[in-house]
Amino acid sequence: MKPRRRLRLSGLLVAAAAVLVAGSTTATASAQNTSPGVDEIVHSPNMRQIANLPKEGPFATQEAFNSDIAFTKNHAIVGNYDGFTIYDIRKPHKPRVVSQVLCPGGQNDVSVSGDLLFLSTDYARTNDSCTSEPSVASDPNAWEGIKVFDISDLANPEYVASVRTDCGSHTHTMVPDQQRESVYLYVSSYSPAANLPNCQPPHDKISIVEVPTKHPERAAVVATPVLFPDGGNPGGPNPDGTNRSATTGCHDLTAYPEKNLLAGACMGDGVLFDLSDKLNPRVIDRVQDNVNFAFWHSATFNNSGTKVVYTDELGGGGLPTCNATFGPNRGADGIYDITGRGDDRKLEFRSYYKLPRHQTENENCVAHNGSLIPVKGRDIMVQAWYQGGISVWDFTDSANPKEIGYWERGPLSDTQRITGGSWSAYYYNGHIYSSDIQKGFDVLAINDWRTAPAKSVRYDEFNAQTQPSYGRG
């Protein structure tokens, strides 16, 4: 969300917003720029909400932001800045909480592999325990990095290992080795400073953690490949006077193991890697957008591995950028075709996609996390836009993307900007699941002829940043 090392947005927050309950106003919006009222729900005719579970227990506070989602065995695991919650989604209309683990250390982005759960900690803590206290990153004894849990019993997760990584772990990407004897975690972290003993500049690298699946307690950093020996994008002002980020690491990496590809969203650079050697990702091509992109945030391949959608998290997730002031090309998705073959492959820009509905000045809204909807022969994505809601859009024609469905809540307040909205929206086994920062866990149904074939695609496990193939596109 926000670039690391900056103050959290908690200073902007006010008293907790009312939790969505049965009976909240629902409507089908027809006017593209008509914003719904506080807690009002609007949606396209082909999308509807079928369930919501509010945050509960120690997470039922405004500062306990829900974050990313991973899926295993028809269960959804939702990260939270204070830990994670496991939901049983075998009945999507009636999800239920199976367990909740209190383990503060934002963002607590999650991934799963078999019976193991991995958690990213990117806020300095006094130690690696789940009872640690906040610390400062200038303390050489402060801890940030990866935590490993055994979730063979989903009702009773067990904390089994931790690994400190330089500059912490803002996000991570799980990649299994071919023998499935280990998994590799590609740790994204950034923003070094001379006064941070565990995050020294230039930090033009990623950390790769190996976790032996039968002995997760032996998890350790096994490689720290330098990705930007030339320093990457130096940052600076955009033509409109706003600033673009310098590249001091990567924010997010998305792997497509079947294609031996890795896409990096690295602050000021979009990168395409060859992943044939898991411990030495090799840069194939790098692109920059010094006109419209401020912060390269995340990436999604299409199924055939011939396109990448990069997101620009302009304003770090805290600004209202879905409006006429910022326009259609800033805080948007950039669609790139992968042209050529082998080492001659290039990322070629084709178009931008931006949420087509203007949001209010009290709604943080910008491109954020999404996944493909697995329809063979088409490129369709569901994506979270914070308080802009959830958009389903088709980019089969890279130069002419178009929205085919949406669902959103109105602002949390009509007088103040409260950080909220959908952090991640992913398609899994027939439904869309959303982690809402404030409102909890949402389940949506989409009924559209263009997405209907996806209902037959089933996965036992799904991590959006470790893309599976669903057959020839």
Coordinates of all heavy atoms in Angstrom, one line a residue, residues 259-323:
K259 N 5.8 -20.8 -17.5 CA 6.4 -20.1 -18.7 C 7.9 -19.7 -18.3 O 8.5 -19.1 -19.2 CB 5.6 -18.9 -19.0 CG 4.2 -19.2 -19.3 CD 4.0 -19.7 -20.7 CE 2.5 -19.8 -21.1 NZ 2.3 -20.5 -22.4
N260 N 8.3 -20.0 -17.1 CA 9.6 -19.5 -16.6 C 9.7 -18.0 -16.8 O 10.8 -17.4 -17.2 CB 10.8 -20.2 -17.4 CG 11.1 -21.5 -16.8 OD1 11.0 -21.7 -15.6 ND2 11.5 -22.5 -17.6
L261 N 8.7 -17.3 -16.4 CA 8.6 -15.8 -16.5 C 8.3 -15.2 -15.1 O 7.7 -15.8 -14.3 CB 7.6 -15.3 -17.5 CG 7.8 -15.6 -19.0 CD1 6.6 -15.2 -19.8 CD2 9.1 -14.8 -19.4
L262 N 8.9 -14.0 -14.9 CA 8.6 -13.2 -13.7 C 8.4 -11.8 -14.1 O 9.2 -11.3 -15.0 CB 9.8 -13.4 -12.8 CG 9.7 -12.7 -11.4 CD1 8.8 -13.4 -10.5 CD2 11.1 -12.6 -10.8
A263 N 7.4 -11.1 -13.6 CA 7.2 -9.7 -13.9 C 7.4 -8.9 -12.7 O 6.9 -9.3 -11.6 CB 5.8 -9.5 -14.4
G264 N 8.2 -7.9 -12.7 CA 8.5 -7.1 -11.6 C 7.9 -5.7 -11.7 O 8.1 -5.0 -12.7
A265 N 7.2 -5.3 -10.7 CA 6.7 -3.9 -10.5 C 7.6 -3.3 -9.5 O 7.5 -3.5 -8.3 CB 5.3 -3.9 -10.1
C266 N 8.6 -2.5 -10.0 CA 9.7 -2.1 -9.2 C 9.8 -0.6 -9.0 O 10.8 0.1 -9.4 CB 11.0 -2.7 -9.7 SG 11.0 -4.5 -9.8
M267 N 8.7 0.0 -8.5 CA 8.7 1.4 -8.1 C 8.8 2.4 -9.4 O 7.8 3.0 -9.7 CB 9.8 1.8 -7.1 CG 9.8 0.9 -5.9 SD 11.1 1.3 -4.7 CE 10.6 2.9 -4.2
G268 N 10.0 2.5 -10.0 CA 10.1 3.3 -11.2 C 10.3 2.5 -12.5 O 10.4 3.1 -13.5
D269 N 10.3 1.2 -12.4 CA 10.5 0.3 -13.5 C 9.5 -0.8 -13.6 O 9.2 -1.4 -12.5 CB 11.9 -0.3 -13.4 CG 13.0 0.7 -13.6 OD1 13.5 1.4 -12.6 OD2 13.5 0.9 -14.8
G270 N 9.2 -1.2 -14.8 CA 8.5 -2.4 -15.1 C 9.5 -3.4 -15.7 O 10.2 -3.0 -16.6
V271 N 9.5 -4.6 -15.2 CA 10.6 -5.5 -15.6 C 10.0 -6.9 -16.0 O 9.1 -7.4 -15.4 CB 11.6 -5.7 -14.4 CG1 12.9 -6.4 -15.0 CG2 12.0 -4.4 -13.8
L272 N 10.6 -7.5 -17.0 CA 10.3 -8.8 -17.4 C 11.6 -9.7 -17.2 O 12.7 -9.3 -17.7 CB 9.9 -8.9 -18.9 CG 9.5 -10.3 -19.4 CD1 8.2 -10.8 -18.8 CD2 9.4 -10.2 -21.0
F273 N 11.4 -10.8 -16.5 CA 12.6 -11.6 -16.1 C 12.4 -13.0 -16.7 O 11.3 -13.5 -16.8 CB 12.7 -11.8 -14.6 CG 12.9 -10.6 -13.8 CD1 11.8 -9.9 -13.3 CD2 14.2 -10.2 -13.5 CE1 12.0 -8.8 -12.5 CE2 14.4 -9.1 -12.7 CZ 13.3 -8.4 -12.2
D274 N 13.5 -13.7 -17.1 CA 13.6 -15.1 -17.3 C 13.8 -15.8 -16.0 O 14.7 -15.4 -15.2 CB 14.7 -15.4 -18.3 CG 14.8 -16.9 -18.6 OD1 15.3 -17.7 -17.7 OD2 14.4 -17.3 -19.7
L275 N 13.0 -16.8 -15.7 CA 13.1 -17.5 -14.4 C 13.5 -18.9 -14.5 O 13.3 -19.7 -13.6 CB 11.7 -17.4 -13.7 CG 11.6 -17.6 -12.2 CD1 12.4 -16.6 -11.5 CD2 10.1 -17.5 -11.7
S276 N 14.3 -19.2 -15.6 CA 14.8 -20.6 -15.7 C 15.7 -21.0 -14.6 O 15.6 -22.2 -14.1 CB 15.5 -20.7 -17.1 OG 14.7 -20.4 -18.2
D277 N 16.5 -20.1 -14.1 CA 17.3 -20.3 -12.9 C 16.6 -19.6 -11.8 O 16.7 -18.4 -11.7 CB 18.7 -19.8 -13.2 CG 19.7 -20.0 -12.0 OD1 19.2 -20.4 -10.9 OD2 20.9 -19.9 -12.2
K278 N 16.0 -20.4 -10.9 CA 15.2 -19.9 -9.8 C 16.0 -18.9 -8.9 O 15.4 -18.0 -8.3 CB 14.5 -21.0 -9.0 CG 13.6 -21.9 -9.9 CD 12.4 -21.1 -10.3 CE 11.4 -22.1 -11.0 NZ 11.8 -22.6 -12.3
L279 N 17.2 -19.2 -8.7 CA 18.0 -18.4 -7.8 C 18.7 -17.2 -8.5 O 19.3 -16.3 -7.8 CB 19.1 -19.2 -7.1 CG 18.6 -20.3 -6.2 CD1 19.7 -21.1 -5.6 CD2 17.6 -19.8 -5.2
N280 N 18.5 -17.1 -9.8 CA 19.1 -16.0 -10.5 C 18.2 -15.4 -11.6 O 18.4 -15.7 -12.8 CB 20.5 -16.4 -11.2 CG 21.5 -16.7 -10.1 OD1 22.1 -15.8 -9.5 ND2 21.8 -18.0 -9.9
P281 N 17.1 -14.8 -11.2 CA 16.2 -14.2 -12.2 C 17.0 -13.3 -13.1 O 17.8 -12.4 -12.7 CB 15.2 -13.4 -11.4 CG 15.3 -14.0 -10.0 CD 16.7 -14.4 -9.8
R282 N 16.8 -13.4 -14.4 CA 17.6 -12.7 -15.4 C 16.7 -11.7 -16.1 O 15.7 -12.0 -16.7 CB 18.2 -13.6 -16.4 CG 19.2 -13.0 -17.4 CD 19.9 -14.1 -18.2 NE 19.1 -15.0 -18.8 CZ 18.5 -14.9 -20.0 NH1 18.7 -13.8 -20.7 NH2 17.7 -15.8 -20.5
V283 N 17.1 -10.4 -16.1 CA 16.3 -9.4 -16.8 C 16.3 -9.6 -18.3 O 17.4 -9.6 -18.9 CB 16.9 -8.0 -16.4 CG1 16.1 -6.9 -17.2 CG2 16.8 -7.7 -14.9
I284 N 15.1 -9.6 -18.9 CA 15.0 -9.7 -20.3 C 14.7 -8.3 -20.9 O 15.3 -7.9 -21.9 CB 13.8 -10.6 -20.7 CG1 14.0 -12.0 -20.2 CG2 13.6 -10.6 -22.2 CD1 12.8 -12.9 -20.4
D285 N 13.8 -7.6 -20.2 CA 13.5 -6.2 -20.7 C 13.0 -5.4 -19.5 O 12.5 -5.9 -18.5 CB 12.5 -6.2 -21.8 CG 12.4 -4.9 -22.5 OD1 13.4 -4.2 -22.6 OD2 11.3 -4.6 -23.1
R286 N 13.3 -4.0 -19.6 CA 12.8 -3.1 -18.6 C 12.2 -1.9 -19.3 O 12.6 -1.5 -20.4 CB 14.0 -2.5 -17.8 CG 14.4 -3.3 -16.6 CD 15.7 -2.8 -16.0 NE 15.7 -1.4 -15.7 CZ 16.8 -0.7 -15.4 NH1 18.0 -1.4 -15.3 NH2 16.8 0.6 -15.3
V287 N 11.1 -1.4 -18.7 CA 10.4 -0.2 -19.3 C 10.1 0.8 -18.2 O 10.0 0.4 -17.0 CB 9.1 -0.6 -20.0 CG1 9.3 -1.4 -21.2 CG2 8.2 -1.4 -19.0
Q288 N 10.0 2.0 -18.6 CA 9.7 3.1 -17.7 C 8.6 4.0 -18.4 O 8.5 4.0 -19.6 CB 10.9 4.0 -17.4 CG 12.0 3.3 -16.7 CD 13.3 4.1 -16.5 OE1 13.3 5.2 -17.0 NE2 14.2 3.6 -15.8
D289 N 7.8 4.6 -17.5 CA 6.7 5.5 -18.0 C 6.9 6.8 -17.2 O 6.4 6.9 -16.1 CB 5.4 4.9 -17.9 CG 4.2 5.8 -18.4 OD1 4.5 7.0 -18.6 OD2 3.1 5.3 -18.5
N290 N 7.7 7.7 -17.8 CA 8.0 8.9 -17.0 C 7.0 10.0 -17.3 O 7.3 11.2 -17.1 CB 9.4 9.3 -17.3 CG 10.4 8.3 -16.8 OD1 10.2 7.6 -15.8 ND2 11.6 8.3 -17.4
V291 N 5.9 9.7 -17.9 CA 4.8 10.6 -18.2 C 3.6 10.4 -17.2 O 3.1 11.3 -16.6 CB 4.3 10.6 -19.6 CG1 3.2 11.5 -19.8 CG2 5.5 10.9 -20.6
N292 N 3.2 9.1 -17.1 CA 2.0 8.9 -16.3 C 2.1 8.0 -15.1 O 1.3 8.1 -14.2 CB 0.9 8.2 -17.3 CG 0.4 9.2 -18.3 OD1 -0.1 10.3 -17.9 ND2 0.4 8.9 -19.5
F293 N 3.1 7.1 -15.1 CA 3.3 6.2 -13.9 C 4.1 6.9 -12.8 O 5.2 7.4 -13.0 CB 3.9 4.9 -14.3 CG 3.0 3.8 -14.6 CD1 1.8 4.0 -15.4 CD2 3.2 2.5 -14.1 CE1 0.9 3.0 -15.6 CE2 2.3 1.5 -14.3 CZ 1.2 1.7 -15.1
A294 N 3.6 6.8 -11.6 CA 4.3 7.3 -10.4 C 4.9 6.2 -9.6 O 6.0 6.4 -9.0 CB 3.3 8.1 -9.5
F295 N 4.3 5.0 -9.5 CA 4.7 4.0 -8.6 C 4.3 2.6 -9.2 O 3.1 2.3 -9.1 CB 4.2 4.1 -7.2 CG 4.9 3.2 -6.2 CD1 6.0 3.6 -5.6 CD2 4.3 2.0 -5.9 CE1 6.6 2.7 -4.6 CE2 4.9 1.1 -5.0 CZ 6.0 1.5 -4.3
W296 N 5.2 1.9 -9.8 CA 4.9 0.6 -10.4 C 4.7 -0.4 -9.2 O 5.6 -0.7 -8.5 CB 6.1 0.1 -11.3 CG 6.3 1.0 -12.5 CD1 6.8 2.2 -12.5 CD2 6.1 0.6 -13.9 NE1 6.9 2.7 -13.8 CE2 6.4 1.7 -14.7 CE3 5.6 -0.6 -14.5 CZ2 6.3 1.7 -16.1 CZ3 5.5 -0.6 -15.8 CH2 5.8 0.5 -16.6
H297 N 3.4 -0.8 -9.1 CA 3.0 -1.5 -7.9 C 2.9 -3.0 -8.0 O 3.3 -3.8 -7.2 CB 1.6 -0.9 -7.5 CG 1.0 -1.6 -6.3 ND1 0.2 -2.8 -6.4 CD2 1.0 -1.3 -5.0 CE1 -0.2 -3.1 -5.2 NE2 0.3 -2.3 -4.3
S298 N 2.2 -3.5 -9.1 CA 2.0 -5.0 -9.2 C 1.9 -5.3 -10.7 O 1.8 -4.5 -11.5 CB 0.8 -5.4 -8.4 OG -0.4 -4.6 -8.7
A299 N 1.8 -6.6 -10.9 CA 1.8 -7.1 -12.3 C 1.0 -8.4 -12.4 O 0.9 -9.2 -11.5 CB 3.2 -7.4 -12.8
T300 N 0.4 -8.5 -13.6 CA -0.4 -9.7 -13.9 C -0.2 -10.1 -15.4 O -0.3 -9.3 -16.3 CB -1.9 -9.5 -13.7 OG1 -2.2 -9.1 -12.4 CG2 -2.7 -10.8 -14.0
F301 N 0.2 -11.4 -15.6 CA 0.4 -11.9 -17.0 C -1.0 -12.3 -17.5 O -1.9 -12.7 -16.7 CB 1.2 -13.2 -17.0 CG 2.7 -12.9 -16.8 CD1 3.3 -13.2 -15.5 CD2 3.5 -12.5 -17.8 CE1 4.6 -13.0 -15.3 CE2 4.9 -12.3 -17.6 CZ 5.4 -12.5 -16.3
N302 N -1.2 -12.3 -18.8 CA -2.3 -13.0 -19.4 C -2.0 -14.5 -19.4 O -0.8 -14.9 -19.2 CB -2.7 -12.5 -20.7 CG -1.7 -12.8 -21.8 OD1 -0.5 -13.0 -21.6 ND2 -2.2 -12.8 -23.1
N303 N -2.9 -15.4 -19.7 CA -2.7 -16.8 -19.6 C -1.7 -17.3 -20.6 O -0.9 -18.3 -20.3 CB -4.1 -17.5 -19.9 CG -3.9 -19.0 -19.7 OD1 -3.5 -19.5 -18.6 ND2 -4.3 -19.8 -20.7
S304 N -1.6 -16.7 -21.8 CA -0.6 -17.2 -22.8 C 0.8 -16.7 -22.5 O 1.7 -17.0 -23.2 CB -1.1 -16.8 -24.2 OG -1.2 -15.4 -24.3
G305 N 0.9 -15.8 -21.5 CA 2.2 -15.2 -21.2 C 2.7 -14.3 -22.3 O 3.9 -14.1 -22.4
T306 N 1.8 -13.6 -23.0 CA 2.2 -12.7 -24.1 C 1.9 -11.2 -23.7 O 2.1 -10.4 -24.5 CB 1.5 -13.1 -25.4 OG1 0.0 -13.0 -25.1 CG2 1.9 -14.5 -25.8
K307 N 1.3 -11.0 -22.5 CA 1.0 -9.7 -22.1 C 1.3 -9.5 -20.6 O 1.3 -10.5 -19.9 CB -0.5 -9.3 -22.3 CG -1.0 -9.5 -23.7 CD -2.5 -9.2 -23.8 CE -3.0 -9.5 -25.2 NZ -4.5 -9.3 -25.3
V308 N 1.5 -8.3 -20.1 CA 1.6 -8.0 -18.7 C 0.8 -6.7 -18.4 O 0.9 -5.7 -19.2 CB 3.0 -7.8 -18.2 CG1 3.1 -7.6 -16.7 CG2 4.0 -8.9 -18.7
V309 N 0.0 -6.8 -17.4 CA -0.7 -5.6 -16.9 C 0.0 -5.1 -15.7 O 0.1 -5.9 -14.7 CB -2.2 -5.9 -16.5 CG1 -2.9 -4.7 -15.9 CG2 -3.0 -6.4 -17.8
Y310 N 0.5 -3.9 -15.7 CA 1.2 -3.3 -14.6 C 0.3 -2.3 -14.0 O -0.5 -1.6 -14.7 CB 2.5 -2.6 -15.0 CG 3.6 -3.5 -15.4 CD1 3.9 -3.8 -16.8 CD2 4.4 -4.2 -14.5 CE1 5.0 -4.6 -17.1 CE2 5.4 -5.0 -14.8 CZ 5.7 -5.2 -16.2 OH 6.7 -6.1 -16.5
T311 N 0.3 -2.1 -12.7 CA -0.6 -1.1 -12.0 C 0.3 0.0 -11.5 O 1.4 -0.2 -11.1 CB -1.4 -1.7 -10.8 OG1 -0.5 -2.1 -9.8 CG2 -2.1 -3.0 -11.3
D312 N -0.3 1.2 -11.5 CA 0.4 2.4 -10.9 C -0.4 2.8 -9.7 O -1.5 3.3 -9.7 CB 0.3 3.5 -12.0 CG 0.8 4.9 -11.4 OD1 1.5 4.8 -10.4 OD2 0.5 5.9 -11.9
E313 N 0.2 2.6 -8.5 CA -0.4 3.0 -7.2 C 0.0 4.4 -6.9 O 0.7 4.7 -5.9 CB 0.0 2.0 -6.1 CG -0.9 2.2 -4.9 CD -0.5 1.4 -3.7 OE1 0.7 1.3 -3.4 OE2 -1.3 0.9 -3.0
L314 N -0.5 5.3 -7.7 CA -0.3 6.7 -7.5 C -0.8 7.1 -6.1 O -2.0 6.8 -5.8 CB -1.0 7.5 -8.6 CG -1.1 9.0 -8.5 CD1 0.2 9.7 -8.6 CD2 -2.1 9.6 -9.6
G315 N 0.0 7.8 -5.3 CA -0.4 8.3 -4.0 C -0.4 7.2 -3.0 O -0.8 7.4 -1.8
G316 N 0.2 6.0 -3.3 CA 0.4 5.0 -2.3 C -0.9 4.4 -1.7 O -0.9 3.8 -0.7
G317 N -2.0 4.6 -2.4 CA -3.3 4.0 -2.0 C -4.1 4.9 -1.1 O -5.2 4.5 -0.6
G318 N -3.6 6.1 -0.8 CA -4.3 6.9 0.2 C -5.0 8.1 -0.5 O -5.6 8.9 0.2
L319 N -4.8 8.3 -1.8 CA -5.4 9.5 -2.4 C -6.6 9.2 -3.3 O -6.8 8.1 -3.8 CB -4.3 10.1 -3.3 CG -3.1 10.8 -2.6 CD1 -2.2 11.4 -3.7 CD2 -3.5 11.8 -1.6
P320 N -7.5 10.2 -3.5 CA -8.6 10.0 -4.4 C -8.2 10.3 -5.8 O -8.4 11.5 -6.3 CB -9.6 11.0 -3.8 CG -8.8 12.1 -3.3 CD -7.5 11.5 -2.8
T321 N -7.6 9.4 -6.5 CA -7.1 9.6 -7.9 C -8.1 9.2 -9.0 O -7.8 9.4 -10.1 CB -5.8 8.9 -8.1 OG1 -6.0 7.5 -8.2 CG2 -4.8 9.1 -6.9
C322 N -9.3 8.7 -8.6 CA -10.2 8.3 -9.6 C -11.2 9.5 -9.9 O -12.4 9.4 -9.5 CB -11.0 7.0 -9.2 SG -9.9 5.6 -9.0
N323 N -10.7 10.5 -10.5 CA -11.5 11.7 -10.7 C -11.0 12.4 -11.9 O -10.0 12.1 -12.6 CB -11.4 12.6 -9.5 CG -10.0 12.9 -9.0 OD1 -9.1 13.0 -9.8 ND2 -9.8 13.1 -7.7

